[in-house]
Structure formats: C-alpha cells, structure tokens
Amino acid sequence: MVRQHWQGILMGLIIVLAGILFNPFSANAEELHWGFKKAQDEIPPDAGSPFNEILDKHGAIYKGNPEEKTIYLTFDNGYEAGYTESILDTLKKENVPATFFLTGHYLTSATPLVKRMVSDGHIIGNHSYDHPNMANLSAKGMEDEWTRFDKKLKELTGVERTIYVRPPKGIFNEKLLSVGNELGYRHIFWSVAFVDWHEDKPKGKDYAYHELMKQIHPGAVILMHTVSPDNSEALPSFIQDAQKEGYTFKTLDDLIMEYEEIFPVF
C-alpha cells in the first residue's frame, strides 16, 4: 500500500512536470513570446488559439481582414544606422503610409528623423522608452515606460501621445495587455517578419525582397527594422510589385476601424 502510494505521488509529479515542460502558457505564464508559422501562398498565418484568445480579449492585433488585399507597414527603430532617411524618401515617393515604433533612445538621438516622420504624416508607435522586457515590470513600471516615451515625444514634436504600442522583442503577458488597455494603449503585433536586425550582417536587397514577397497576404501587418541596408534597398521594388499584385497600403488607424467594425469586414 505504501509502495503504491509513493508510486502515485511519483506519477503525479511526472505529469505536473510534463505539463510545465510542454505547456508554455502554464510554465511561463508571465512571459509569452510572440511567434507564428510564416505565411505561404498568400494564406494568413495563425498564431494558434491560446495567443488568439489572449489577444482578442484585449483588442490586440497582428493581422487584418483575410479577404482584403491590404498591407500595413510598420518599422521598429531602436537606434539609427543611416537607412531611415532612404526609407522615408521611398514612402514619400510611393505615397505609402507607415507606423514607426520608436524607443526613447531613438527619440533623443535621431530627433530630426522623428520630426520628419511626423511631418510626412506617418504614425509614431510606442516601443517603450528603455526597451526592457516589459513582461517583467510592475504595472507602474509598464506605465512609466510608455508615458516617459509620450512625454518626450510631445516635448520634441508636439504629438500629444501615442496609441499603438509594441513590446520589445515580442515578449509580453496578459497583464501587459491589460495595463495597456487601462491607459488607452493598443498592442500591435505582426504577421510578417524575418531576420533583418543585424546591422553588421546584411544579406542583400534580394533577401529582404523575397522574404517580403513570399510572406505577404491579405491583411498583412509587416514588421521591418531600419538598421540594415537590405530593407531600405528592397522597399521600392516591394511596394511597386505588391501593388501590381493588387495590394494597397493602409494605416493602423484603418486597421483599427476595421477591427472595431466601424467598417465591418471580419
């Protein structure tokens, strides 16, 4: 009887341990890492029911209407490497809108470019002030990251505040989404991405172009970084060829209006 009792306890521990090892939503509930299987053949990716349920609960978005050939361009800027001006030139020439998710460091180190983003009509997104792991912060720490950014942005550009936020490295938890909602922020993730953040390891224009073209899909929210020449060089051809395939480029404001069923499309 005693032996059976200890066998039962051991089996219970094994089951619990297996659950911890193979279910990241219980083992690591305080730190979720955004991810999905890349899109192919213009079929939108699916992040899976656990992610979808959490995001839907808090109005967080990573893709748009799967029936509309629309693309939403977003860029993450942590520091300036000399390629953002070219990207802005392309966006202006092609008359394409974008959202730039910036850090506090970028605001203060590349202020003229930030001012140009605003004057060119692009949206400024909040990528936190110090680029920390936001999931590890207290509610007050989360608020400080976002509001410090907004205060500096207003000081430098006159923009009152940001609405769209994106967690550094895609690390988040439900608390982060909830606190953001309470403060009037909306989390925007992405459905198209590739390794493009190594300034010292460029892979060439063709690499970026083909990654974008093979992953695009209706409602794509594209994440790109501006620290490599690859994206800067590939962007003109990508925009032109995507448009030839019937895609249009819209803003995150348009995406939110669709999501909120101001124009019911989902």
Side-chain angles (χ1 to χ4, degrees):
M1 181 69 71
V2 173
R3 182 179 179 182
Q4 290 177 339
H5 174 72
W6 282 108
Q7 285 178 334
I9 292 176
L10 180 59
M11 181 59 68
L13 289 173
I14 291 173
I15 292 172
V16 170
L17 180 59
I20 291 174
L21 290 174
F22 295 103
N23 183 355
F25 288 92
S26 60
N28 204 12
E30 294 306 311
E31 186 174 299
L32 306 177
H33 293 248
W34 179 245
F36 50 86
K37 184 178 180 180
K38 291 182 178 181
Q40 292 183 335
D41 302 320
E42 296 188 277
I43 300 174
D46 188 348
S49 57
F51 273 151
N52 288 333
E53 290 171 8
I54 292 173
L55 267 59
D56 286 346
K57 179 179 178 181
H58 299 281
I61 302 174
Y62 70 98
K63 61 183 178 181
N65 181 6
E67 304 299 326
E68 296 288 337
K69 298 190 77 170
T70 304
I71 293 172
Y72 307 91
L73 283 181
T74 72
F75 296 88
D76 284 6
N77 299 59
Y79 65 94
E80 180 54 37
Y83 306 111
T84 304
E85 185 174 9
S86 173
I87 288 172
L88 288 169
D89 289 344
T90 296
L91 295 174
K92 187 171 185 177
K93 180 180 179 181
E94 302 296 336
N95 193 29
V96 166
T99 298
F100 290 86
F101 286 91
L102 312 178
T103 62
H105 175 270
Y106 197 90
L107 286 178
T108 56
S109 63
T111 304
L113 288 170
V114 178
K115 290 182 177 179
R116 180 179 171 185
M117 293 170 189
V118 173
S119 65
D120 282 0
H122 300 298
I123 295 173
I124 303 298
N126 194 324
H127 200 35
S128 79
Y129 196 90
D130 288 321
H131 205 261
N133 180 338
M134 296 284 284
N136 285 342
L137 301 180
S138 65
K140 182 62 167 61
M142 295 171 182
E143 180 178 1
D144 285 347
E145 282 291 326
W146 291 321
T147 57
R148 285 171 62 207
F149 179 94
D150 282 347
K151 181 179 179 181
K152 179 59 67 173
L153 179 66
K154 182 178 180 180
E155 175 187 318
L156 296 174
T157 69
V159 173
E160 190 66 30
R161 60 159 293 173
T162 57
I163 298 297
Y164 307 122
V165 296
R166 175 173 285 166
K169 300 181 180 180
I171 301 175
F172 71 106
N173 56 18
E174 191 166 0
K175 177 182 176 181
L176 183 68
L177 303 183
S178 178
V179 172
N181 287 167
E182 292 172 4
L183 297 170
Y185 295 106
R186 196 72 170 263
H187 273 80
I188 305 294
F189 291 86
W190 58 90
S191 62
V192 173
F194 54 98
V195 177
D196 66 342
W197 53 84
H198 297 300
E199 177 186 0
D200 59 341
K201 298 178 182 179
K203 297 184 178 181
K205 168 186 173 181
D206 289 347
Y207 163 75
Y209 171 84
H210 289 302
E211 282 291 336
L212 290 166
M213 291 300 293
K214 72 183 181 183
Q215 290 189 57
I216 60 169
H217 61 85
V221 177
I222 295 178
L223 162 62
M224 288 188 280
H225 293 82
T226 62
V227 295
S228 169
D230 300 349
N231 290 336
S232 173
E233 294 171 2
L235 190 60
S237 296
F238 167 67
I239 290 174
Q240 294 164 10
D241 289 351
Q243 289 174 332
K244 289 176 183 177
E245 294 192 10
Y247 284 91
T248 59
F249 292 82
K250 293 186 178 181
T251 70
L252 292 186
D253 289 342
D254 295 319
L255 176 60
I256 294 300
M257 285 192 292
E258 290 181 345
Y259 183 87
E260 295 295 343
E261 297 185 344
I262 295 175
F263 302 106
V265 292
F266 288 106

